[in-house]
Amino acid sequence: MQFDIVVPLLMGCALLWWVSRGMTWTTRLTVTVVTLALIVCVVLVERASR
């Protein structure tokens, strides 16, 4: 398992859970999709620069 993918995903999920406590389900889903897309973009940029 590659930690450069797993750790950001876990941190993003934990932050999302903490922030989304007062949100509706549609808002949570939207924020989840945006957060995961940003994490994937960061990981791809990191890998491209190596």
Side-chain angles (χ1 to χ4, degrees):
M1 212 176 253
Q2 297 177 351
F3 287 110
D4 61 336
I5 295 173
V6 174
V7 173
L9 284 175
L10 287 175
M11 290 177 64
C13 290
L15 181 61
L16 180 64
W17 172 80
W18 185 73
V19 169
S20 70
R21 288 180 288 173
M23 295 182 186
T24 62
W25 281 104
T26 54
T27 308
R28 284 183 189 186
L29 184 60
T30 304
V31 171
T32 302
V33 169
V34 170
T35 303
L36 291 176
L38 286 172
I39 290 170
V40 167
C41 288
V42 167
V43 169
L44 289 175
V45 167
E46 258 186 31
R47 287 180 177 232
S49 66
R50 286 187 202 178

